[in-house]
Structures are given as structure tokens and as C-alpha cells.
């Protein structure tokens, strides 16, 4: 009896260099919040992949479903599975997340954008949030894996969940080891004394070295000053404004000319309102502690020790 015929394994589609470069340029622009580049001249499957990635980058979950650009094959099945997942009843989400393929970068990016809204609005409970984070951590481009890692670690810190930290660290592997170490340092701050930061008090622009518990507040909001109205802070909340340039060495006791200009601009914004804040011109000082993503809300207890840290994706929308 003749042996059974060998089946030909499915071909793995590797994007051509021009296609990969175009996808990388789009992802980089998305990551930096810049306008997306013009669509390149691609053909065939490369053009469809890019079209799907661009659709995912501009996807607004509040505005409805994504169109599927693929007519046949594995990519079409992958996108159809995602489209079904995004409108599935809650009891089917966990199973759908586990089986969702993420071979197309656009699929991972669309899943990230959709889940980000669910987590922010409270639609996800902790279990669904972790299942979504874990799926994105396990596959897809480095960009969305990094987003999922940051999200998972920010929430593990906010919930003071060391088991979740260990689980995420094991999944992330060596590629993201430095990011995980930063969060391990932050876990080490919980329950301990406030760290000291070199700041310039506003509106006087006076240099000081202060612990967080010496800033006259039980909650510290660390967030850059954006255009528009000043943020409304709850009573008992102090505000640290990180420098946009962040060029100062953490040991320097004087501001460069460019930082003086930045500090004086902050004074002009604050003085008419009677508001006070602290200007922090050294990014290295924050990174040394692991405080890498703004905004950050730090709660201090009655003894001035750190009770909670909510950072980045886990920070509240308003202080």
C-alpha cells in the first residue's frame, strides 16, 4: 500500500522590504502621535496588508466596525474573527481573545485600540483586561506588545499585585527586561518613605530639594502642562510639572537658558490664576525611580509613606 501523500505546508508570507519599511514608518508615526505617512505604491497582498494596518491606526471603536480589505485566505479569516470578537457578547470574549490570530500587524493594532477603550471606560473587569493584555503580549509587532506590557504593568502596580507582575515578567522575556525592572523599583517604593526630587517651586521659580511628603499635599499629581485650561486638582493634591525638554542632569542646581525660558513660561501660565506647582526639569530623576509614563498619581499616607502609585494607563483621567 503506497504511503499517504505528503501535504504541502502553507506558505509563510514574508513582506517585501519596501512593504515592511512602509509598515514600520506608519507604526512609528502612530507611536509618536504624528500624521500618518502617505500610502506608498504597493501591489497585491502588500497593498492589502498596508490598507488594513492604516485602517487599524485610524480605528475609532466608538464609530463602529472595521471593513475587511482581504477577499480570501488566511488574512480574511483573521480579520473576520476580529470583527466578530469586537461585537461578541461578554461571555464569549475570553474564549475569543485566546483564539484570535494576530499574524497581521493591523489586527494587533485594532485589538489594542479597541481594548484600550474597554479598559479605560470600565467595560473590562480585571479578568478580561488581563486576558486582552496577555493576548497582545504573546503575538503581534513589537509596538503593540510593548503597549500591552506597559498597560499590564501599570495596572499591576496600581493594584499592587505582585503575582501579576511576576506573570507579566515571565511572558515579556528578555526583550522588555529593562521596562520590567523599572516597575520592580516602583513596587519597592510602596510602603516606604517618599523619594526626594530636585524641583523649582512655581510661581517663584525657587530651587528646592524636597521629598514628596514635604510638598504640602497628601496626593501628588505628576503631569506635563498641556494647552488649554489648567487641570482642576482635588483638595490636598500637589502638582509636579515635568519639563518638556527634560535636559537637566539630576545633580544640577541651576537651570540652563532653555529651561529658564520653559520655567518662566510656566510662571506666566500659573501666576494669573494664583495656582502653585513644582517644575521638575530632569527626566533622569524620574527614570531612576521607574516613573516613566505620565500622568502619575501618588497617594501618601498619614506618615508620608507611599500608599499607592497609579501611572500611565492606570492613572485616573482627572487628578
Amino acid at each position: 500500500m503506497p504511503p499517504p501523500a505528503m501535504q504541502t505546508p502553507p506558505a509563510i508570507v514574508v513582506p517585501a522590504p519596501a512593504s515592511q519599511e512602509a509598515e514600520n514608518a506608519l507604526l512609528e508615526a502612530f507611536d509618536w502621535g504624528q500624521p500618518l505617512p502617505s500610502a506608498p505604491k504597493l501591489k497585491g497582498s502588500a497593498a492589502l496588508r498596508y490598507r488594513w494596518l492604516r485602517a487599524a491606526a485610524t480605528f475609532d471603536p466608538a464609530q463602529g466596525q472595521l471593513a475587511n480589505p482581504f477577499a480570501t485566505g488566511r488574512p480574511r479569516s483573521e480579520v473576520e474573527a476580529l470583527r466578530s470578537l469586537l461585537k461578541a457578547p461578554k461571555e464569549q470574549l475570553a474564549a475569543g481573545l485566546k483564539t484570535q490570530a494576530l499574524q497581521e500587524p493591523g489586527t494587533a493594532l485594532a485589538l489594542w485600540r479597541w481594548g484600550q477603550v474597554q479598559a479605560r471606560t470600565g467595560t473590562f473587569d480585571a479578568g478580561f483586561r488581563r486576558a486582552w493584555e496577555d493576548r497582545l503580549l504573546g503575538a503581534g509587532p513589537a509596538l503593540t506588545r510593548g503597549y500591552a506590557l506597559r498597560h499590564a504593568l501599570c495596572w499591576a502596580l496600581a493594584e499592587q499585585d505582585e503575582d501579576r507582575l511576576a506573570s507579566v515578567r515571565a511572558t515579556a522575556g528578555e526583550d522588555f527586561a529593562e521596562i520590567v525592572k523599572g516597575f520592580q523599583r516602583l513596587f519597592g517604593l510602596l510602603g516606604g518613605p517618599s523619594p526626594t526630587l530636585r524641583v523649582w517651586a512655581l510661581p517663584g521659580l525657587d530651587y528646592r530639594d524636597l521629598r514628596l511628603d514635604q510638598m504640602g499635599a497628601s496626593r501628588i499629581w505628576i503631569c506635563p502642562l498641556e494647552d488649554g485650561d489648567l487641570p482642576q486638582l482635588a483638595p490636598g493634591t500637589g502638582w509636579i510639572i515635568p519639563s518638556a525638554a527634560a535636559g537637566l542632569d539630576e545633580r544640577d542646581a541651576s537651570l540652563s537658558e532653555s529651561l529658564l525660558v520653559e520655567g518662566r513660561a510656566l510662571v506666566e501660565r500659573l501666576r494669573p490664576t494664583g495656582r502653585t506647582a513644582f517644575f521638575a526639569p530632569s527626566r533622569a530623576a524620574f527614570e531612576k525611580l521607574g516613573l516613566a509614563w505620565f500622568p502619575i498619581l501618588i497617594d501618601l499616607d498619614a506618615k508620608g509613606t507611599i500608599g499607592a502609585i497609579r501611572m500611565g494607563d492606570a492613572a485616573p483621567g482627572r487628578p
Side-chain angles (χ1 to χ4, degrees), residues 26 28-37:
L26 189 151
E28 183 176 2
F30 175 86
D31 188 34
W32 286 96
Q34 298 172 346
L36 300 183

Side-chain angles (χ1 to χ4, degrees), residues 141-201:
L143 181 69
T144 51
R145 289 181 62 221
Y147 286 165
L149 175 70
R150 181 195 68 202
H151 197 281
L153 291 172
C154 283
W155 274 101
L157 177 65
E159 295 171 341
Q160 301 185 24
D161 188 338
E162 295 191 22
D163 289 339
R164 179 59 175 162
L165 172 66
S167 171
V168 173
R169 179 176 61 232
T171 303
E174 289 302 314
D175 289 348
F176 298 106
E178 287 304 311
I179 295 176
V180 175
K181 287 179 182 177
F183 279 88
Q184 289 175 314
R185 290 195 293 273
L186 289 173
F187 267 84
L189 292 179
L190 295 170
S194 296
T196 298
L197 290 174
R198 183 156 292 182
V199 294
W200 274 253

Side-chain angles (χ1 to χ4, degrees), residues 10 18 24 37 48 51 62 124 141 165 171 196 216 222 242 250 264 281 308 312-313:
N24 290 343
L48 294 176
R51 180 178 163 190
F124 278 169
L165 172 66
T171 303
T196 298
I222 307 174
E250 61 181 308
R264 288 166 181 158
D313 296 291

Side-chain angles (χ1 to χ4, degrees), residues 244-317:
L248 192 73
D249 187 283
E250 61 181 308
R251 295 163 294 183
D252 287 347
S254 60
L255 297 175
S256 65
E257 185 58 35
S258 62
L259 288 169
L260 273 173
V261 170
E262 185 180 356
R264 288 166 181 158
L266 294 175
V267 170
E268 293 303 311
R269 292 278 306 275
L270 292 174
R271 181 168 280 151
T273 68
R275 298 279 293 275
T276 61
F278 297 96
F279 177 45
S282 173
R283 184 176 301 277
F286 289 110
E287 292 177 346
K288 186 176 181 180
L289 295 170
L291 298 170
W293 286 285
F294 306 124
I296 302 165
L297 183 64
I298 299 177
D299 292 315
L300 306 174
D301 64 19
K303 296 180 180 179
T305 57
I306 294 179
I309 303 173
R310 285 173 281 176
M311 180 170 75
D313 296 291

Side-chain angles (χ1 to χ4, degrees), residues 68-83 104:
N68 190 340
F70 300 102
T72 59
R74 190 270 311 156
R76 179 172 179 80
S77 298
E78 177 176 313
V79 175
E80 284 304 304
L82 178 70
R83 281 161 48 89
E104 296 295 329

Side-chain angles (χ1 to χ4, degrees), residues 111-127:
L111 183 62
W112 161 255
R113 288 176 66 80
W114 170 77
Q116 193 180 23
V117 172
Q118 313 312 306
R120 188 184 301 124
T121 58
T123 303
F124 278 169
D125 61 21

Side-chain angles (χ1 to χ4, degrees), residues 24-68:
N24 290 343
L26 189 151
L27 288 171
E28 183 176 2
F30 175 86
D31 188 34
W32 286 96
Q34 298 172 346
L36 300 183
S38 300
K41 294 181 179 180
L42 300 172
K43 297 181 180 179
S45 61
L48 294 176
R49 282 172 58 93
Y50 188 86
R51 180 178 163 190
W52 173 231
L53 180 60
R54 191 179 186 88
T58 56
F59 174 43
D60 181 354
Q63 299 301 316
Q65 278 280 13
L66 285 156
N68 190 340

